[in-house]
Amino acid sequence: MNGNYGWGLPVQASTFAKEVDFGINLIHAAMILIFVLWGIFFAYLLFKYRRREGVKASYGHEGILKSLIPDFIVLLFEIGLIVLYAVPGWGRMKLHAPEPALSNNIRIVAEQFAWNIHYPGPDGKFGRFSAEFIDSANVLGLDPSDPDGKDDVVTLNDLHVPLGKPTLAELTSKDVIHSFFIPEFRIKQDAVPGMATPVWFEPILEGHFEISCAQLCGIAHSSMRGDVYSHSPEGFESWLKERLAEKAEADKGRG
Ligand SMILES: [Cu+2]
């Protein structure tokens, strides 16, 4: 797995990664610079205003505006960060969902303590689903009479996505609030019961990564992990074909 985080940021595996990392790196660099400058200034003041014979402290207000200049510089930098980087970047990443017709469409249903992934299969249509059909073999409650659901694939903690196009997911939860987090894709989104939240990303690197739950959701929160595989388009197609063959085999066994 590429999930070897080490000291630096995880590998940049989606189109969002560069822009997100720019902000993280800029903020860290600025904080180090401010920390060092303040430290030097502090030491300078300690020395300059040390206790000496015949010198008394003054408690007047003269020079107070001048002393606020560094704060104003930091404030300007922070406003610039929000207005020039954070808001436009957020807009680029979150404002416009990709066209469903040009995306890999999936549903992600979180539950204590797992990720169910629902693929629409070759017809591109999700089968109807309803709580009344939910049982241990049908965790998403797919309606067995719906033809659109015949070629659907459901996996547990096993997300497969193709390179070359965005993956557009509808994210929800069966029970409590979870948070869908793939560090390498720089994507994190709450999964809220009763809500279908759109979430999208485009992988740019073939590999094996990890989904983790980023919202404390119960006793086994820390083990709520899943695998993510980003494939070449051909690799993704052949993975899907294998799942469909498995499904046909299982249906034969049952029927
Ligand atoms: Cu969770």
Side-chain angles (χ1 to χ4, degrees):
M1 197 181 326
N2 305 37
N4 178 15
Y5 300 131
W7 286 97
L9 289 166
V11 64
Q12 298 179 323
S14 89
T15 52
F16 296 149
K18 273 214 162 66
E19 183 153 18
V20 172
D21 289 3
F22 172 78
I24 294 175
N25 290 330
L26 182 65
I27 290 167
H28 277 84
M31 289 307 117
I32 290 168
L33 183 70
I34 291 169
F35 176 76
V36 169
L37 289 179
W38 275 123
I40 292 169
F41 188 55
F42 179 62
Y44 163 75
L45 293 180
L46 277 181
F47 178 75
K48 181 167 182 207
Y49 297 109
R50 68 192 183 280
R51 200 174 77 88
R52 273 169 298 169
E53 282 303 318
V55 179
K56 275 193 127 184
S58 137
Y59 297 101
H61 290 288
E62 64 275 9
I64 190 145
L65 275 181
K66 214 170 90 186
S67 74
L68 287 176
I69 288 172
D71 299 86
F72 276 113
I73 294 172
V74 172
L75 185 66
L76 274 181
F77 171 73
E78 285 173 354
I79 291 172
L81 205 61
I82 293 169
V83 175
L84 300 177
Y85 162 74
V87 172
W90 180 259
R92 273 191 290 278
M93 285 181 251
K94 294 287 182 188
L95 224 43
H96 305 290
E99 218 31 75
L102 305 174
S103 308
N104 168 46
N105 298 282
I106 55 169
R107 295 177 60 241
I108 302 169
V109 182
E111 66 177 294
Q112 288 175 319
F113 297 92
W115 303 96
N116 301 289
I117 320 285
H118 183 184
Y119 304 83
D123 69 352
K125 288 188 209 149
F126 293 107
R128 228 182 355 248
F129 48 89
S130 163
E132 64 189 287
F133 299 112
I134 291 180
D135 62 36
S136 60
N138 185 5
V139 288
L140 295 186
L142 284 170
D143 180 348
S145 68
D146 182 15
D148 288 344
K150 286 278 178 267
D151 64 345
D152 288 16
V153 169
V154 177
T155 61
L156 181 68
N157 295 324
D158 194 30
L159 170 62
H160 291 254
V161 291
L163 298 179
K165 62 162 125 176
T167 285
L168 175 60
E170 190 188 279
L171 179 65
T172 189
S173 167
K174 277 189 184 177
D175 37 42
V176 301
I177 300 175
H178 302 274
S179 181
F180 177 77
F181 182 29
I182 304 176
E184 290 83 354
F185 292 173
R186 308 293 190 275
I187 184 93
K188 187 189 280 172
Q189 178 67 53
D190 274 6
V192 183
M195 270 175 76
T197 309
V199 47
W200 59 88
F201 50 86
E202 182 172 339
I204 54 170
L205 203 68
E206 230 177 301
H208 175 196
F209 312 110
E210 187 180 74
I211 314 172
S212 51
C213 183
Q215 178 68 54
L216 185 57
C217 60
I219 188 89
H221 161 67
S222 63
S223 64
M224 187 166 167
R225 295 156 181 268
D227 292 302
V228 189
Y229 296 87
S230 49
H231 299 276
S232 64
E234 306 76 48
F236 178 72
E237 285 307 317
S238 66
W239 172 80
L240 192 63
K241 255 188 216 130
E242 276 169 38
R243 295 294 81 70
L244 287 166
E246 266 178 26
K247 193 180 168 178
E249 202 59 38
D251 285 350
K252 232 192 283 165
R254 221 171 289 137

